[in-house]
Amino acid sequence: MSTLGTAIERVEDAALLMGRGRYIDDMPVAPGTGHAAILRSPHPHARLLSIDTEAALALPGVHAVVTGEDARAWSTPFIVSVRQPMEHWCIAIDRVRYAGEPVAIVVAEDRYRAEDALALIDVRYEPLDAVVDPEATLGADAPVLHEKVGSNLVSERSFRYGEPEAAFEAAAHTVTTTVRYPRNSCTPIECLGLIAAYDPGEDAYDVLSHFQGPLTLHPVMARALKVPGPRFRLRSVPDSGGSFGIKQAVFPLIVAMALAARKAARPVKWIEDRLEHLLAATSATNRMTRIEAAVEADGRIASLRLDQLEDCGAYLRAPEPATLYRNHGNLTGPYCIPHLAVNNRVVVTNKTPTGLNRGFGGPQLYYALERLMQRVAVTLGLDPLDVIKRNLVPADAMPYRAAAGAVLDAGDFPATLDHGAREGALDALRVRRDAARAEGRLYGIGFAAAVESSVSNMGYITTVLSAEERRKAGPKDGAVSHATVAVDPLGAVTVTADSIPQGQGHRTVLAQVVGDALGLAPAQVTVALEHDTQRDPWSIAAGNYSSRFSGAVAGAAHLAAVRVRERLARIASQQLNARPEDVRFEQGRIFAAGNPGNDLDFRRVASLVHWSPGSLPDGVPPALRETARWTPPQLTPPDDDDRINNSAAYSFIFDFCGVEVDRATGAVAIDRYVTTHDTGRRLNPALVDGQIRGAFAHAVGAAFYEELAYSEDGSFLSGTLADYLVPTACEVPDPQILHRDIPTPATPLGAKGVGEGNCMTTPVCLANAAADALGVESLDLPLTPARIGDLIHGPESTPPRP
Amino acid sequence: MKPALFDYLRPDDEEEVLEALAEAGDDARLLAGGQTLMPMLNMRLVEPAVLIDISRLPGRAEIEDNGNFIEVGETVTQASLESWPTLAERTPLLAQALPLLGHVQTRSRGTVCGSIAFADPSAELPLCLATLGGEVVLRSRSGTRTLPAAEFQTGMLSTACREDEMVAAVRFPTAEPGAGYAFTEFARRHGDFAVVAIAAIARANGIRIGVGGVAEQPVVRDWPLLAGSALDDALNALAWSLDAADDVHASARYRRELVRRLGKQTVAAALEARL
Amino acid sequence: MKRLDRESRHRVALTLNGREANGWAEPRMLLSDFLRHELGATGTHVGCEHGVCGACTVRLDGAPVRACLTLAVQADGRRVDTVEGLASNGELNDLQKAFRRHHALQCGFCTAGILMSLDAWLESNPAPDEGEVRALLSGHLCRCTGYTGIVAAALDAAEARRREDGP
């Protein structure tokens, strides 16, 4: 019996539960390996006048101190995705532009000594005015971060699809809302880390890390290190303590520590600590969005107009401004909205550079879009659920080409919504709300719907360029995944692939997928996913991001396993006297359909390939190692009208919830939360639900607790886990999870992505419920008790007269 | 994020602690449960030359019931006070406050005296001690002195404890017959320091209220048995008197609001709890 | 009085998961670093080094403590139990099995600390309800699971232990 589609236990868990995981800080190091600590700028913006490292170098046990001068000698600035002369070095040169920017690196015999030496480095700064607000940074008097760029506005593009002006003119109503999405981060419990080495004989770097990809950044790093790709060997560790996109942000440190290893003439290990992580690792973008809808009297939306102001922090760090463009093709969400106008501005401010973070642009987009949907309902006096339903893409329109180019691959959104409302007992929730309100309590219901894009088109980011610039640069598209299935001389099966997992259980799912194809139990399939750019097949699309695993990587593994199966079937067909297409694989046996009694041992047939190539049927090559490469053909480059299909598959999510606001404290309590998903075919339902719960927990954090906050002068306010509040088991309720699976033809196994959607829907669903409870128009995250309290407490009692 | 260098001393008895303190002066820090000091050391916010480990000091982990007060020795953990069998009966305010203090994993190490000695303005135990009108026993080589809570804590993270002194014990007054006790706090998450914490004691002839989390140290007021708008007015005056400030978790205005609203709830709960 | 000089490394001997173990530590070395890098017991993980995330929780003389808020020299002569001691002969214990059954972990980084907290706590709280389990777990941060599986596994293991111990 195949286990594919069943909730088997994970093959990863026994080792992890016994404390036998192999995370970056557990990995063996060469004798003499140095330990690095980073001196970081205390200023959000300053000129670097001088660095005196003498005292630090004199401290016993210190091997080297690395500064911007070394970066200048051995590296180049990182390439940026927009055509701007922005210089981003791995260690600051001349100027620092955010609090926490690396200024020097100490390599010492242990981390304790390295930190001792940090205190002995004397840096002279000339502080400059800082700017942290994305609107203020556009002001005439704002300090310019990059003098060569000359402006803090580093990219602006306008897009027009259909006839938005006419649609707005003809519309019965116009509804507008403005939202400010805050900075937050999914902060994995394991911070960043790596071990870097340099071989002067070959002028080659070798780095071990939990860098998660995408490997588009491999050429970025190799180029920064001024070596050809093969001389920058990047290997991944077996286990990673979570990422959620965050471990993409280790890449600038990989380059910096590679230089440190070169200078110290020994391998260097760097393990980021939590203070560094919160201050300077990375962040989601903060975004201000003004969104406007042209609405018919019945709530149908004819056109949207979006003005998006994206704040990427101090540098546009690759792949930014990808956060802004990740969902460009599906800016209209799950809705049938034919006309669209978009203005996108990307700015820099004196804050930590941004990067990948679970949902990647989806939380920012859907916070605006779904708040708008709620505002449309309130403004027109309609039921918010009706407004969502009326605008959903109908099932018979699938596959549906959205205004900006996304091709929504499959699904029945209205039926899935109905399923969720019914099975989630929405009617009972409405009764509950009415009863609570009758008692004078502040109770509200919120809704949100979204498409969750997965398996990203490697060309979507080029939408930031004009069609002409794209023509010059050459086409970018596709999303190639690789997987290899091999059978050894004793018939044991090994799978490798380019997924670079971060704790999700990819090994389990690939064992299920390949076991399913070969008629073997998952336990008979060994999956090894430590990736090595020097030895494993990979493409720039490799890695763990954009929920590409179940669609792309599992798909490629399936294709590779099927090829192995077909070869074995040809060999077995000779011995079974059957046609290859009639050969069946079950429970480790191979037999002809219709004659299961006459069977062969899988291992025996496989071993023939190794031990007796001469006895194979004509034309069967003597090998049982198949690498499948798969790229979704529908992922073409942006067209001349800037239409882009940014993803291979689009899952559908419909959420609703009930919340109650405490009048005294302003605290918002989740009373009930229902989330309904169409993720295509579910390969392991327990892992799917685990992804949903995890994203939901992150979203509860984003909704109520988490913000990487800065004061106006650029100092960072969320420096510890007592300031940056991560929800605990007491703050995260169990959501009710519902499924309605519609396998997609867009991926080999019919599966779509699942890990990110609730980061898109849940914050805004909760905010919509709070808005419903409070009857307020404008609401920004996080919904802290103080922020809600200030809305509901009314005018304050005056101080008593003295 | 590793501590700077320090010498480590582990005295075998209290005499040796006092001797070490006298020697090292303000270069020394006492390490008891370490739940506040250790993060500060790891972040290098403090870099003492000498660390004096008193966590295993023999004979100092006792809780004694002296009738009018319970005396908690310097190495008594918050967990052992929490599980002291007669806590709810003898000091109901502490029984309500302790589960809100951090987490099981930090209470198992954090000491009662350590929390009092650190004098964090948002901490629960200093608020309880101040509201109950307890005392702190300070000891040095030159002798022992006992200070009322109000004289011990002198501000945010500052106390009357001299460099050569240690907090040898804390005395919490026991429940008065007929009085009601209530402790309420609002924290962002379970186990966090309070944004605002309120302790209240209702007696036959009056109310005592203590507020933590707002001013630089716990603030305690005694009122007659106020009710209705008179109570509202008193709470409003109290809220305005605390010089609340904005921080990353809450605005000053919000804190004042919580003082008024939680104050009212807590006073009501204390009145309710009277026997 | 024991006096350990700051610049020297000192012998620290303790009982780790029932076996004698020893290594060298400066006075300032954290127990978490000592276990991981001196004794090679890397199952205990470090997530924040300021006592919030709970990943490094171990048992010190039976009580759950943050290894990052404990000095190695403080553990000298004492019993330390870590996640490596839970399974015997490669066989997961009942709590670990419940974690696997309930998919109570994903990346596994916070798991060791949670297991050690529960291991200690369930001994004195054999019949917890969900609210109590969640309060206990509030001393730990998990970013992967949303906690559902962890709560279920803890309740399940507690119930199984009660059944085993009889009425």
Side-chain angles (χ1 to χ4, degrees), chain B residues 17-271:
Chain B
V17 178
L18 300 178
E19 184 190 318
L21 268 178
E23 245 173 60
D26 68 349
D27 281 345
R29 283 289 193 136
L30 293 177
L31 175 65
Q35 302 303 291
T36 309
L37 179 59
M38 284 300 302
M40 293 169 76
L41 290 171
N42 290 358
M43 295 181 201
R44 301 196 181 204
L45 295 173
V46 291
E47 297 188 17
V50 180
L51 205 60
I52 304 168
D53 182 359
I54 58 168
S55 61
R56 285 199 266 176
L57 216 52
R60 298 302 305 159
E62 313 272 311
I63 303 167
E64 277 172 48
D65 191 335
N66 289 330
N68 289 334
F69 57 84
I70 62 169
E71 181 164 315
V72 179
E74 63 212 38
T75 63
V76 173
T77 63
Q78 295 148 11
S80 42
L81 180 58
E82 187 184 6
S83 60
W84 190 55
T86 50
L87 185 74
E89 177 197 323
R90 301 296 287 151
T91 52
L93 193 66
L94 288 178
Q96 293 176 56
L98 275 164
L100 305 175
L101 198 172
H103 306 277
V104 169
Q105 300 85 348
T106 59
R107 295 197 292 273
S108 74
R109 293 274 285 166
T111 63
V112 174
C113 289
S115 174
I116 298 297
F118 264 104
D120 190 290
S122 299
E124 289 83 358
L125 288 175
L127 173 61
C128 288
L129 189 73
T131 309
L132 292 170
E135 293 174 332
V136 179
V137 180
L138 295 168
R139 196 162 297 149
S140 70
R141 282 218 298 201
S142 45
T144 299
R145 59 184 182 134
T146 302
L147 290 181
E151 286 174 39
F152 173 74
Q153 186 163 354
T154 55
M156 183 187 295
L157 308 176
S158 70
T159 69
C161 188
R162 292 194 313 255
E163 280 165 19
D164 64 337
E165 278 181 325
M166 67 186 288
V167 173
V170 176
R171 293 171 178 168
F172 293 99
T174 47
E176 302 161 32
Y181 297 84
F183 191 96
T184 314
E185 74 172 34
F186 182 71
R188 294 289 306 278
R189 297 173 304 174
H190 186 86
D192 279 347
F193 271 132
V195 174
V196 170
I198 311 269
I201 307 171
R203 301 187 173 99
N205 57 352
I207 300 162
R208 170 175 281 197
I209 186 166
V211 182
V214 189
E216 300 214 324
Q217 61 191 94
V219 170
V220 179
R221 294 277 189 278
D222 284 301
W223 294 331
L225 277 178
L226 299 173
S229 64
L231 178 60
D232 291 342
D233 290 345
L235 285 165
N236 185 43
L238 174 59
W240 281 103
S241 72
L242 299 172
D243 278 333
D246 295 339
D247 71 11
V248 69
H249 297 307
S251 63
R253 186 252 151 112
Y254 177 75
R255 285 201 159 83
R256 288 192 294 271
E257 207 63 66
L258 284 193
V259 171
R260 289 185 280 260
R261 290 164 190 264
L262 292 188
K264 199 164 178 171
Q265 287 177 17
T266 314
V267 167
L271 289 166

Side-chain angles (χ1 to χ4, degrees), chain A residues 497-753:
Chain A
D498 64 358
S499 75
I500 318 185
Q502 305 286 324
Q504 301 97 326
H506 291 180
R507 289 175 56 213
T508 300
V509 176
L510 292 181
Q512 289 180 274
V513 166
V514 172
D516 169 73
L518 298 178
L520 300 172
Q524 293 168 276
V525 179
T526 300
V527 185
L529 298 177
E530 298 101 292
H531 195 268
D532 180 340
T533 56
Q534 215 166 62
R535 294 175 167 269
D536 290 310
W538 60 276
S539 80
I540 53 162
N544 186 332
Y545 65 96
S546 85
S547 298
R548 69 187 279 273
F549 173 74
S550 49
V553 182
H558 171 74
L559 297 177
V562 166
R563 277 197 224 155
V564 168
R565 184 179 70 198
E566 284 167 353
R567 186 163 302 165
L568 289 170
R570 282 191 63 189
I571 299 165
S573 68
Q574 189 175 266
Q575 300 178 33
L576 293 169
N577 276 327
R579 294 183 307 171
E581 56 269 34
D582 291 333
V583 174
R584 298 287 177 270
F585 292 71
E586 273 178 32
Q587 294 181 9
R589 313 299 298 177
I590 303 177
F591 54 91
N595 188 11
N598 178 23
D599 63 357
L600 302 167
D601 188 324
F602 178 91
R603 291 170 295 187
R604 180 119 196 146
V605 177
S607 69
L608 203 63
V609 179
H610 291 276
W611 301 108
S612 179
S615 59
L616 300 181
D618 286 348
V620 173
L624 276 180
R625 172 181 290 271
E626 285 295 319
T627 297
R629 295 164 188 82
W630 179 74
T631 186
Q634 67 274 32
L635 296 187
T636 51
D639 67 16
D640 283 352
D641 298 320
D642 292 319
R643 284 189 173 76
I644 173 70
N645 182 18
N646 45 273
S647 303
Y650 299 83
S651 302
F652 176 70
I653 309 174
F654 166 62
D655 287 4
F656 66 89
C657 68
V659 306
E660 181 164 3
V661 181
D662 183 314
R663 279 186 194 276
T665 63
V668 182
I670 303 173
D671 183 40
R672 182 159 167 67
Y673 200 100
V674 181
T675 183
T676 305
H677 291 248
D678 168 8
T679 63
R681 180 179 180 195
R682 279 177 292 154
L683 305 178
N684 181 321
L687 270 56
V688 166
D689 284 0
Q691 287 300 310
I692 292 170
R693 290 198 182 95
F696 176 76
H698 271 125
V700 168
F704 297 131
Y705 301 100
E706 298 180 31
E707 181 173 12
L708 296 165
Y710 289 81
S711 69
E712 224 167 272
D713 67 4
S715 34
F716 182 61
L717 304 175
S718 308
T720 74
L721 286 178
D723 309 298
Y724 188 81
L725 303 183
V726 169
T728 76
C730 290
E731 284 78 43
V732 183
D734 288 340
Q736 181 182 359
I737 301 171
L738 297 168
H739 295 281
R740 193 166 180 283
D741 305 340
I742 300 176
T744 176
T747 68
L749 287 165
K752 307 188 192 190

Side-chain angles (χ1 to χ4, degrees), chain A residues 295-517:
Chain A
V295 193
E296 314 296 340
D298 65 354
R300 234 175 275 266
I301 297 172
S303 180
L304 287 180
R305 200 180 273 152
L306 282 105
D307 184 7
Q308 306 189 98
L309 179 59
E310 179 86 328
D311 180 352
C312 286
Y315 299 92
L316 218 49
R317 193 162 74 182
E320 295 289 28
T323 308
L324 184 57
Y325 285 89
R326 175 72 189 89
N327 290 286
H328 189 83
N330 60 282
L331 282 172
T332 45
Y335 305 119
C336 227
I337 302 175
H339 308 289
L340 173 67
V342 186
N343 188 58
N344 280 345
R345 286 174 296 167
V346 180
V347 296
V348 288
T349 58
N350 294 109
K351 303 199 294 270
T352 296
T354 58
L356 274 60
N357 192 49
R358 198 173 200 165
F360 202 44
Q364 292 90 332
L365 166 64
Y366 286 107
Y367 197 77
L369 182 57
E370 294 304 286
R371 283 293 298 129
L372 178 72
M373 296 304 280
Q374 200 251 2
R375 291 302 308 150
V376 166
V378 172
T379 308
L380 274 63
L382 300 170
D383 180 333
L385 189 61
D386 287 342
V387 174
I388 289 175
K389 272 168 90 163
R390 251 164 236 167
N391 285 289
L392 287 177
V393 173
D396 60 11
M398 293 293 178
Y400 172 81
R401 174 91 160 167
V407 180
L408 306 186
D409 47 297
D412 185 340
F413 299 174
T416 302
L417 179 142
D418 286 339
H419 176 78
R422 191 176 54 247
E423 300 299 313
L426 175 60
D427 288 342
L429 187 66
R430 287 181 166 134
V431 171
R432 198 172 160 80
R433 171 180 65 180
D434 296 345
R437 284 184 173 174
E439 291 172 18
R441 286 149 58 195
L442 295 171
Y443 195 106
I445 292 179
F447 300 93
V451 289
E452 173 183 4
S453 46
S454 54
V455 189
S456 64
N457 182 342
M458 302 317 288
Y460 78 79
I461 182 60
T462 62
T463 318
V464 72
L465 305 175
S466 68
E468 171 147 2
E469 288 171 322
R470 286 198 298 265
R471 269 192 295 277
K472 270 191 208 155
K476 293 200 170 61
D477 55 69
V480 183
S481 54
H482 285 84
T484 302
V485 174
V487 189
D488 85 348
L490 295 177
V493 177
T494 308
V495 185
T496 60
D498 64 358
S499 75
I500 318 185
Q502 305 286 324
Q504 301 97 326
H506 291 180
R507 289 175 56 213
T508 300
V509 176
L510 292 181
Q512 289 180 274
V513 166
V514 172
D516 169 73

Side-chain angles (χ1 to χ4, degrees), chain A residues 132-158:
Chain A
V132 296
D133 181 81
E135 285 179 285
T137 201
L138 292 170
D141 54 346
V144 173
L145 270 73
H146 299 273
E147 278 165 350
K148 287 183 186 165
V149 177
S151 163
N152 294 333
L153 176 65
V154 294
S155 167
E156 176 161 21
R157 280 219 71 196
S158 290

Side-chain angles (χ1 to χ4, degrees), chain A residues 165-183:
Chain A
E165 304 82 2
F168 271 92
E169 209 149 290
H173 305 273
T174 300
V175 180
T176 309
T177 191
T178 298
V179 299
R180 288 171 181 79
Y181 192 87
R183 289 200 148 213

